[in-house]
Amino acid sequence: MTEVDEFAAETADYDITPLLQPFRIRHLELRNRFVMPGMQRWWCVDGAPDHRMVEYYRRRVLGGAALIISESCTVDHPSATKNPTFARMSPETREAWRACVAGVHEAGGAMFMQLWHQGGVNYGGDAEVNPEFVALSPSGLSAPGQPFGRAATEADLSSLKRAYVQGALDAMEVGADGVELHCAHGFLLDQFLWPQTNLRTDRYGGPAITDRATFVAELTEAVRAATGPDFVISVRISQWKESDYDARIVDEPDQLGQLVRLLRSAGADIFHMSARRFWTPEWEGSDLGLAGWAKSFTDAAVIGVGSVGLDVDVMASLNGGEGRATGASRIDELVRRFQRGDFDLISVGRSQIGDPEWVAKMTDHRIPDIRAFRAGDIALGDDVMSA
Ligand SMILES: Cc1cc2nc3c(=O)[nH]c(=O)nc-3n(C[C@H](O)[C@H](O)[C@H](O)COP(=O)(O)O)c2cc1C
């Protein structure tokens, strides 16, 4: 019997009801604690979601999710990406996003648009689509020691800020309940937070996390000022990067506290703490994960995430590794952490790709009916992801 089987047997009588309580953030009432996090599906045409995506998001709400976060959607800036299969928020794509949001609302859910810029990350395909494309990043690096594109000037940063603000206004205009600023996984905003990719000596860089977070804080403030008091702003943060699973933006809890407090005072309502496994302790001496640590420093809402319902992590899946659905396994641990106050909401990614009714089936104890997520559900072409 594997560790997972043993755990599943122990938790056959799991109780998920604590996660079914509603939750309020500003004006927004979520009917339970389950979130579908941003996940690119590579179905966009010239940045616009096609008809499949309307149905895809709507079905996850009908299947139980309270909040849908769109796949990473680039801001309308020439340096954001030139890959046409990546989602974009721009005047040309607004109507298509409006249809996605309307579908989610009709089904009884809420939706945020995730605003993204790939920064210096060297995704394959860009150069082929547009040879003029120049990647912008804090210090002209794709990853530590790997030059790509160029460092953003102060003028670039001003225009990037305007693009994020416009993206947030567009999200509001299409009816979204909020935005999520993608500051994770090694992309533009995370490249500011990561000391190895932010070598700047101006006010956007420096040894302290509060120095390196200056651009993210200014952006959050600008989005808050433009969108007013009712719009929800989530900030997604990770330690790990697609290019380096052991990377760190902060070495100690106190530094995480400084980051969370800075962004909270800039206007963030939610911290979506991206970890590959929700149960992994972030620092020795405590079993708190990244979400639990963030929550210990803030009155803002916190979203946890990481391998709920699966025995392999996201990057193993993205690299084609096959895992198994774990059914009830670790659900007790998830609920224990939730009831302890480690997080307010929980993201379930791949499990909800695998089965749009994952939340409903878990709620109704219909585990044998769950369609297990398979790596083939998200098969990637090499041309899409080379980082
Ligand atoms: C196919 C795929 C695409 C993803 N795209 C994004 C994305 O656009 N934005 C983002 O913040 N995270 C993205 N992620 C990470 C997920 O949001 C989530 O953090 C990760 O899958 C871990 O959750 P899980 O273990 O429940 O799947 C993606 C993950 C997958 C599997």
Side-chain angles (χ1 to χ4, degrees), residues 36-42 69-73 114 116 180 182-185 187 236 240 242 272 274-277 305-310 312-315 317-318 347-353 373 377-378 380 385:
M36 185 163 87
M39 289 184 289
Q40 287 177 336
R41 301 311 313 272
W42 305 282
I69 301 176
S70 78
E71 69 176 72
S72 52
C73 194
Q114 188 183 59
W116 181 59
E180 179 164 277
H182 191 336
C183 311
H185 308 162
F187 299 108
R236 189 165 215 205
W240 69 277
E242 287 188 358
H272 190 171
S274 176
R276 287 158 56 217
R277 300 173 191 87
V305 64
S307 301
V308 175
L310 289 169
V312 287
D313 84 286
V314 53
M315 290 313 291
S317 292
L318 284 168
S347 273
V348 178
R350 290 163 296 152
S351 291
Q352 290 197 88
I353 287 182
F373 167 83
D377 293 346
I378 53 165
L380 297 182
M385 204 175 218

Side-chain angles (χ1 to χ4, degrees), residues 68-88:
I68 302 289
I69 301 176
S70 78
E71 69 176 72
S72 52
C73 194
T74 68
V75 294
D76 194 14
H77 192 277
S79 65
T81 189
K82 278 295 167 191
N83 192 319
T85 60
F86 289 160
R88 190 175 66 243

Side-chain angles (χ1 to χ4, degrees), residues 146-158:
Q146 294 176 31
F148 184 64
R150 65 172 174 81
T153 62
E154 291 233 5
D156 293 326
L157 293 181
S158 299

Side-chain angles (χ1 to χ4, degrees), residues 334-384:
L334 184 73
V335 173
R336 181 183 79 82
R337 286 171 180 261
F338 171 72
Q339 290 190 300
R340 186 171 70 175
D342 288 15
F343 47 83
D344 304 285
L345 300 164
I346 185 73
S347 273
V348 178
R350 290 163 296 152
S351 291
Q352 290 197 88
I353 287 182
D355 191 333
E357 295 181 4
W358 188 89
V359 174
K361 289 176 183 173
M362 287 301 296
T363 302
D364 299 342
H365 290 249
R366 286 192 287 139
I367 288 176
D369 295 346
I370 290 178
R371 177 196 174 277
F373 167 83
R374 297 177 199 123
D377 293 346
I378 53 165
L380 297 182
D382 288 345
D383 57 329
V384 172

Side-chain angles (χ1 to χ4, degrees), residues 94-116:
R94 274 208 300 258
E95 292 318 307
W97 286 113
R98 194 188 310 282
C100 291
V101 174
V104 165
H105 284 167
E106 274 162 31
M111 184 158 180
F112 295 171
M113 297 300 305
Q114 188 183 59
L115 299 181
W116 181 59

Side-chain angles (χ1 to χ4, degrees), residues 156-320:
D156 293 326
L157 293 181
S158 299
S159 85
L160 283 167
K161 205 184 293 176
R162 284 196 297 278
Y164 273 90
V165 167
Q166 188 57 53
L169 289 171
D170 287 348
M172 234 181 150
E173 199 275 325
V174 303
D177 303 282
V179 283
E180 179 164 277
L181 301 176
H182 191 336
C183 311
H185 308 162
F187 299 108
L188 178 71
L189 300 180
D190 194 21
Q191 291 193 314
F192 278 92
L193 305 179
W194 193 13
Q196 279 77 22
T197 48
N198 183 349
L199 311 178
R200 298 179 76 99
T201 52
D202 63 5
R203 68 198 173 94
Y204 295 110
I209 183 64
T210 44
D211 298 328
R212 299 192 302 277
T214 300
F215 185 62
V216 177
E218 287 184 0
L219 209 56
T220 309
E221 263 173 19
V223 169
R224 170 60 65 214
T227 55
D230 275 343
F231 202 58
V232 181
I233 302 176
S234 171
V235 173
R236 189 165 215 205
I237 296 171
S238 70
Q239 296 270 42
W240 69 277
K241 320 298 168 211
E242 287 188 358
S243 59
D244 181 354
Y245 305 161
D246 299 322
R248 291 273 172 272
I249 55 170
V250 285
D251 290 324
E252 294 163 14
D254 178 54
Q255 296 166 345
L256 180 64
Q258 293 172 35
L259 175 62
V260 163
R261 281 191 284 267
L262 176 71
L263 299 181
R264 176 67 169 149
S265 60
D269 300 304
I270 302 180
F271 292 95
H272 190 171
M273 306 305 294
S274 176
R276 287 158 56 217
R277 300 173 191 87
F278 75 84
W279 61 89
T280 305
E282 188 56 37
W283 282 289
E284 277 178 22
S286 161
D287 75 342
L288 285 179
L290 192 63
W293 276 109
K295 189 71 193 172
S296 76
F297 295 118
T298 185
D299 63 340
V302 168
I303 309 179
V305 64
S307 301
V308 175
L310 289 169
D311 71 350
V312 287
D313 84 286
V314 53
M315 290 313 291
S317 292
L318 284 168
N319 290 319

